[in-house]
Structure formats: C-alpha cells, structure tokens
Amino acid sequence: MKHIRIILLGAPGVGKGTQAERLQKSFKCAHISTGDMLRESVREGTQLGEKAKSCMEKGELVPDALILDMVAERLGREDCENGFILDGFPRTVIQAEKLDDILKELELELDAVLSIDVSNDEIVNRLSKRFICTDCGKIVTVQSESDTSCPYCRGDIQRRKDDEPDTVRHRLTVYDSQTKPLIQYYENTGLLKMVDGIGSADEVYGRLIACLGVTQENE
Ligand code: AMP
C-alpha cells in the first residue's frame, strides 16, 4: 500500500473523522486530528487545554499560534514516516502557509487535499445526533432518545458543547469565513479534489480512495 500524505477539508460534521479513521486503518498512516488533540488536552487539564477550552465551547477557532506548535511537533513524530492524514487542520490561510513551511523543512510533499462537501442543513441534522463518550472519548451516533450509554465501553454519553444547534450554526459561519478560503488556496496548488459527502460512509470512502488512485479491490 502506498504512503499517503493528505489533508481532509470540510465543514464540521461532513464526516472527516469517520473517513480519516478508515483511511488510517487502510494506509497504516498517522491520523492527526487537531480537534481530538485539543479535546484530550482539555480532558487532561494541560496549559494548552486551559487556553483552548473557551474558544472550543463557543465554536470559535483556537488561536493559530497554539495550533501550529502542536502540529509541527506531531508531524515530526516517527509514525508520520508512513504518511499522514490531517483532519481539521489547516483551518486558516495562515495555518496552510505555515504547514507549507513545516513540510518543506521535513522535505515532505502533500499528495492531495480532499474536500468533503455536504449541505449545511444536512450538517445541522447530522450533528444533532452526534454524542461523545465522557469515558473513552469515542463519537457515538444516537438513533433514539433511549440511547444513553456508549456502545463501546458503556460510559455516559453527552452532546459535545460545540454540537448544540446554535453553536453548530456559528461554527458553520466560522468555517465559511475562515476555512473556506483554503479551497481556493489548494485549488491554486493543483492538489484540491472535491468529494461529494452525501451517502453511506462506504460510498464516501470509495470516492475518497478513487481520488487517491486506489480502488476498494486493490487497497
Ligand atoms: P473539530 O473536532 O475538528 O471540529 O474541532 C473542534 C474545535 O477545536 C474547533 O471548533 C476549534 O475550536 C478547535 N480546533 C480544532 N482544530 C483547529 C484548528 N486547526 N485551528 C483552530 N482551532 C481548531
């Protein structure tokens, strides 16, 4: 299996995390989710977590400076030698420019930037069903009101504070103003591929790997 170095772009709730996990298993590469890293820092009560917490709860972006050191350190780790999937990073043009510098320093090149596209109405609907386990941190999709515990570890599940409908709408506005310009940024580099995010996780996964020149038969 070839090594991949990709960015998954897309608004909150388009399925980046789910697809990144699948790609990570297939390509045996590192899955770098800045949202997961920040949530872990908040859970552990680190200095970074303390600084990031209120921005995250309000659906605002965490300041670039906090994110950039964290990502530079992560990309230098050994597991990234087998490739990586960036999920939720970069989110601003400044972050994208800095990522270019980091990769240049590491003498690495990106293979593709895959932007997953889903309408805002569908995103609000999907995120209203997304919960997180307070014990193991896994994402759980709730099908009915009687689902109150984590199917993996039986821990309590809660809606993420930033998945409350008003905050989701705010996060979508933040995405439009601060992250969407990255579509043009990567279009200019020739790396951008737009992927329809509607359909089952299998269907979307098939579209993503087709963009990478791989089919499900030969993966
Ligand atoms: P996510 O799980 O990727 O939706 O991230 C959850 C929250 O973490 C976001 O709403 C931001 O507050 C923060 N966050 C994650 N990644 C970044 C980033 N690259 N830049 C700034 N803030 C981020």
Side-chain angles (χ1 to χ4, degrees):
M1 177 56 60
K2 67 174 185 176
H3 291 173
I4 55 164
R5 296 188 199 97
I6 62 169
I7 294 173
L8 284 186
L9 210 58
V14 297
K16 295 190 298 296
T18 306
Q19 296 299 334
E21 273 179 28
R22 293 186 69 157
L23 290 164
Q24 188 233 341
K25 283 200 187 104
S26 302
F27 291 88
K28 315 258 179 303
C29 56
H31 170 197
I32 304 178
S33 157
T34 44
D36 284 352
M37 291 165 86
L38 291 169
R39 277 185 289 279
E40 199 180 323
S41 300
V42 171
R43 270 201 301 276
E44 289 174 352
T46 66
Q47 228 178 20
L48 170 68
E50 291 294 309
K51 288 186 188 154
K53 192 170 179 220
S54 69
C55 294
M56 293 172 75
E57 286 179 355
K58 285 186 274 188
E60 301 285 349
L61 293 187
V62 171
D64 289 331
L66 292 184
I67 299 287
L68 289 168
D69 285 349
M70 182 177 92
V71 173
E73 186 276 327
R74 183 67 188 85
L75 279 170
R77 285 201 215 156
E78 211 180 317
D79 61 342
C80 293
E81 284 170 16
N82 291 334
F84 54 78
I85 302 155
L86 286 168
D87 159 12
F89 176 90
R91 258 184 158 95
T92 61
V93 171
I94 289 176
Q95 291 182 14
E97 288 169 347
K98 182 67 185 174
L99 175 64
D100 289 342
D101 295 342
I102 297 171
L103 293 177
K104 209 175 201 175
E105 201 146 298
L106 294 169
E107 297 182 12
L108 296 174
E109 279 184 13
L110 289 171
D111 296 311
V113 177
L114 307 177
S115 178
I116 306 178
D117 198 27
V118 173
S119 74
N120 283 2
D121 285 349
E122 173 66 11
I123 288 174
V124 174
N125 178 36
R126 283 187 192 181
L127 291 187
S128 69
K129 297 182 189 147
R130 180 166 86 171
F131 282 62
I132 192 162
C133 175
T134 53
D135 286 348
C136 70
K138 285 212 167 77
I139 299 287
V140 178
T141 303
V142 164
Q143 303 297 352
S144 79
E145 280 181 20
S146 57
D147 290 347
T148 55
S149 64
C150 171
Y152 304 101
C153 75
R154 311 314 307 166
D156 283 338
I157 56 169
Q158 272 182 0
R159 179 175 282 155
R160 270 169 49 176
K161 276 213 172 87
D162 58 349
D163 280 347
E164 296 295 340
D166 282 350
T167 315
V168 168
R169 276 186 273 277
H170 182 58
R171 287 165 73 201
L172 290 173
T173 316
V174 169
Y175 177 81
D176 280 345
S177 64
Q178 304 204 53
T179 309
K180 232 181 188 168
L182 292 182
I183 293 188
Q184 190 61 54
Y185 184 92
Y186 287 113
E187 183 132 76
N188 295 343
T189 65
L191 290 172
L192 183 77
K193 295 190 162 65
M194 298 298 287
V195 178
D196 179 3
I198 295 294
S200 68
D202 277 347
E203 285 164 342
V204 178
Y205 178 74
R207 291 175 202 142
L208 289 170
I209 60 170
C211 288
L212 298 171
V214 179
T215 60
Q216 258 153 355
E217 288 74 44
N218 68 15
E219 66 165 317

